[in-house]
DNA sequence: CTGAAAGCGCTTACAG
DNA sequence: CTGAAAGCGCTTACAG
């Protein structure tokens, strides 16, 4: 059977209070009894029960992480960095893949509340928010506007959209297509689209945006891309709102015998390590994924500590172009 | 303040016992009081505290997942499936990225024990095992031999190695190089290497295996690949033990103006959805990632339920070749 | 059908 | 320097 504090106390011949004190280094304990207790703990292979501790302290050091899916390079790396940085601070991560399904997200939110997490990092849309609010829980959003009060951390999507579009224009593209996720998700990623359309307008160029639907699987991507290419045979540039889409565009270009970057220039978005290993040739906009993770955690910790003053509603981190050979 | 069961009881004018009973649908409760209690729960926006419940029930429905890193397509997708399948069964996942660091893994194991997880799924090596054993916890390993008693789930690595090698030989390769991870990790992935070497020997062909070291970053991969190519200018085939390495091989081939598949044939390993989206041209061995996840969870649940009888020490799932154009 | 009591494994005032 | 008692928020025998 698992040893508990009482067992340690009995073996060491002291009270539970004393065991607790030596374990937590709180209050006075004589060196002699400290040794006795420590020996007893080792002998019984004792590990304190964090459930009991948390029940009393009302702190679980648990963080909920809600994302669409880790099976996507951007979120996979974001998850990695969040978990890593959390672990370094003694925080534990409960992972939730909502697949952008509203009902799942609400279930996850409730589950996290029941588990008394100290805070939640959300990278999905906003419907389940009612659950968060009612529990007046610490929440931080990554790249999503959940409400007027929940802090948002993102990279500079408008600037990223501008950089990508400018790059294509500078390289001589006249007929540029843009592929983006569903507008209904209300992500700041829509700013990439806005930047694209604004800049094209500024240059007096026609702009064409294609919206993808959920789920964002490859077959769906390809079907939209094919339609777009059919509708715009003059296309000479593509700005894809993520690297997976860019890869599909490049694939379809191959099928159509378009040479890249001569006939068609392609620029992606995200710039994960995974993609830069698999497709080092892809020109793309790099998001500072680790910084996003770090900032989100900082904001969340401040909320947890109750420092609501110093928290910016919005934190926007810089992006940069990765120079590949596709644009 | 967060409402607790006692608040609900007070508002409904019943005892805590009755609230608990209606909440859990256990024992008799009259329809009238059931309604009163439910109304009170809604009014107070009550969510039960799972910490308290678990403290009593000794079941947390928490599963620990220890992996090298989710920032890698294979583990990213494995993590996705594991979390997804767990959620469908009411299990919650505590994520741990050990980065193959022994000390981290031990810390995670201890953390999971303190948090009273019902079980652990491990995809890393074996040193921290002492911690698992002592807590006599339910544990299942994915693709790692942790001890003679912990069940292992993996795909058929030997068969995968054979399929890959055979493919290259069938395509006429005479001088094949193999790249694999560090032997010290003692993974069944070493069976891929063994299969390669066995088969090459059977065909009377020379075999050359290069071992990569940790951390498996792209620069290190490329440096080993360059050395290998320098040492074997006659190379006409490469079997890489994962798709990331295969991608780097293809990259280096491009630098050396080797045409694929004419001058050099390359086959990878893992066959994730991510890689098949980004590099659909890559010929590779597909692991049944979702099946691995499902099987690991099944085994773990059986251990948790205490059915030690029906559990196979080893479950080996089939792999298959994905037909790309690189080999 | 309902409630008072004890207990899950800890911690912290409060006494001494 | 040390311990007895009460309590964290639940649940389940046990009575009635």
């Amino acid at each position: 059977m698992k040893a508990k504090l009482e067992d340690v106390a009995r073996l060491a011949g002291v009270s539970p209070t004393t065991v607790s004190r030596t374990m937590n280094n709180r209050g006075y304990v004589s060196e002699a009894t400290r040794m006795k207790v420590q020996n007893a703990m080792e002998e019984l292979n004792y590990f304190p029960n964090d459930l009991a501790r948390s029940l009393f302290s009302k702190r679980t050091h648990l963080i909920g992480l809600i994302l669409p899916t880790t099976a996507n390079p951007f979120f996979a790396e974001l998850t990695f960095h969040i978990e890593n940085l959390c672990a370094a601070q003694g925080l534990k991560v409960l992972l939730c893949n909502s697949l952008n399904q509203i009902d799942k997200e609400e279930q996850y939110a409730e589950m996290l509340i029941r588990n008394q997490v100290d805070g939640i990092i959300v990278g999905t849309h906003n419907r389940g928010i009612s659950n968060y609010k009612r529990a007046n829980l610490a929440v931080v959003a990554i790249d999503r506007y959940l409400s007027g009060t929940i802090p948002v951390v993102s990279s500079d999507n408008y600037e990223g959209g501008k950089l990508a579009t400018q790059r294509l224009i500078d390289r001589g593209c006249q007929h540029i297509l843009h592929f983006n996720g569903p507008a209904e998700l209300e992500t700041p990623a829509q700013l990439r689209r806005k930047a694209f359309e604004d800049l094209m307008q500024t240059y007096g160029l026609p702009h064409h945006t294609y919206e993808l639907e959920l789920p964002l699987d490859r077959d769906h991507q390809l079907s939209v891309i094919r339609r777009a290419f059919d509708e715009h045979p003059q296309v000479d540039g593509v700005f894809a709102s993520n690297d997976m889409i860019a890869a599909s565009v490049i694939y379809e270009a191959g099928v159509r015998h378009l040479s890249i970057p001569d006939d068609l220039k392609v620029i992606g978005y995200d710039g994960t390590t995974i993609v830069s290993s698999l497709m080092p040739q892809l020109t793309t906009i790099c998001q500072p994924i680790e910084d996003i993770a770090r900032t989100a955690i900082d904001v969340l910790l401040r909320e947890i500590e109750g420092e609501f003053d110093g928290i910016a509603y919005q934190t926007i981190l810089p992006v940069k172009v990765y120079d590949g050979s596709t644009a």
Side-chain angles (χ1 to χ4, degrees), chain A:
Chain A
M1 214 31 238
K2 222 177 280 181
K4 52 190 186 186
L5 186 140
E6 201 191 315
D7 301 322
V8 176
R10 196 174 318 126
L11 182 60
V14 299
S15 75
T17 310
T18 299
V19 175
S20 172
R21 265 196 287 255
T22 95
M23 212 166 59
N24 298 301
N25 266 307
R26 234 190 294 289
Y28 295 94
V29 181
S30 75
E31 203 43 44
T33 63
R34 166 179 301 283
M35 288 310 294
K36 277 193 301 184
V37 171
Q38 274 167 348
N39 290 336
M41 296 205 306
E42 289 219 356
E43 191 173 332
L44 294 175
N45 225 283
Y46 173 71
F47 289 102
N49 181 330
D50 272 355
L51 252 39
R53 292 226 251 213
S54 294
L55 186 58
F56 184 91
S57 69
K58 296 178 186 279
R59 270 278 226 148
T60 54
H61 304 283
L62 236 37
I63 298 295
L65 176 59
I66 307 182
L67 299 170
T69 168
T70 55
N72 154 304
F74 177 75
F75 287 115
E77 293 187 10
L78 186 64
T79 300
F80 168 71
H81 285 116
I82 287 176
E83 193 283 320
N84 227 19
L85 291 164
C86 277
Q89 310 215 26
L91 296 172
K92 302 154 263 180
V93 174
L94 269 171
L95 181 65
C96 308
N97 291 103
S98 79
L99 285 168
N100 283 315
Q101 291 171 223
I102 297 173
D103 54 327
K104 277 204 171 195
E105 204 201 334
E106 294 197 342
Q107 283 167 18
Y108 276 126
E110 183 177 326
M111 178 276 274
L112 294 173
I113 288 171
R114 287 170 176 250
N115 278 273
Q116 315 298 118
V117 296
D118 290 345
I120 300 183
I121 299 178
V122 210
T124 56
H125 57 45
N126 58 31
R127 317 303 175 88
I129 203 56
S130 44
N131 278 331
Y132 310 150
K133 300 227 59 157
R134 68 173 93 146
N136 80 320
L137 200 57
V139 180
V140 63
I142 291 185
D143 232 17
R144 306 275 167 153
Y145 295 103
L146 297 186
S147 80
T149 52
I150 291 177
V152 184
V153 175
S154 69
S155 58
D156 196 337
N157 288 287
Y158 193 84
E159 176 68 12
K162 249 176 67 182
L163 287 171
T165 310
Q166 189 64 251
R167 172 74 166 225
L168 294 174
I169 293 172
D170 289 350
R171 294 288 196 265
C173 297
Q174 293 285 324
H175 200 104
I176 305 178
L177 304 185
H178 175 49
F179 294 92
N180 206 315
E184 79 213 49
L185 289 189
E186 300 168 35
T187 79
Q190 289 300 319
L191 290 174
R192 301 174 197 166
R193 168 184 183 159
K194 177 134 180 35
F196 164 71
E197 293 173 354
D198 287 355
L199 200 58
M200 291 299 277
Q201 205 142 347
T202 303
Y203 276 88
L205 294 169
H207 60 260
H208 307 280
T209 298
Y210 283 82
E211 228 174 75
L212 302 174
E213 284 161 30
L214 296 176
L216 299 162
D217 60 300
R218 183 160 184 267
D219 285 340
H220 169 64
Q221 284 177 23
L222 279 175
S223 76
V224 175
I225 291 166
R226 285 193 194 107
R227 181 160 55 79
F229 275 38
D230 287 343
E231 290 173 3
H232 298 276
Q234 343 77 300
V235 57
D236 58 3
V238 168
F239 167 29
S241 72
N242 73 50
D243 294 332
M244 304 291 276
I245 300 173
S248 296
V249 167
I250 290 173
Y251 173 81
E252 182 61 20
V255 170
R256 291 171 187 247
H257 304 294
L258 295 172
S259 158
I260 291 175
D262 296 338
D263 304 330
L264 181 74
K265 304 196 196 325
V266 179
I267 185 161
Y269 209 104
D270 286 346
T272 55
T273 303
I274 289 174
V275 173
S276 79
S277 289
L278 295 171
M279 303 185 68
Q281 78 277 20
L282 180 66
T283 301
T284 188
I285 305 296
C286 290
Q287 295 202 62
I289 302 184
E290 185 172 355
D291 280 349
I292 292 175
R294 189 193 322 282
T295 307
I297 292 169
D298 283 355
V299 169
L300 193 68
L301 283 178
R302 289 219 231 139
E303 284 185 63
I304 292 172
E305 302 305 343
E307 299 175 30
F308 296 99
D309 303 331
I311 302 179
Y313 167 56
Q314 228 182 121
T315 310
I316 298 181
L317 301 164
V319 296
K320 57 172 192 270
V321 178
Y322 165 82
D323 261 306
S325 58
T326 61

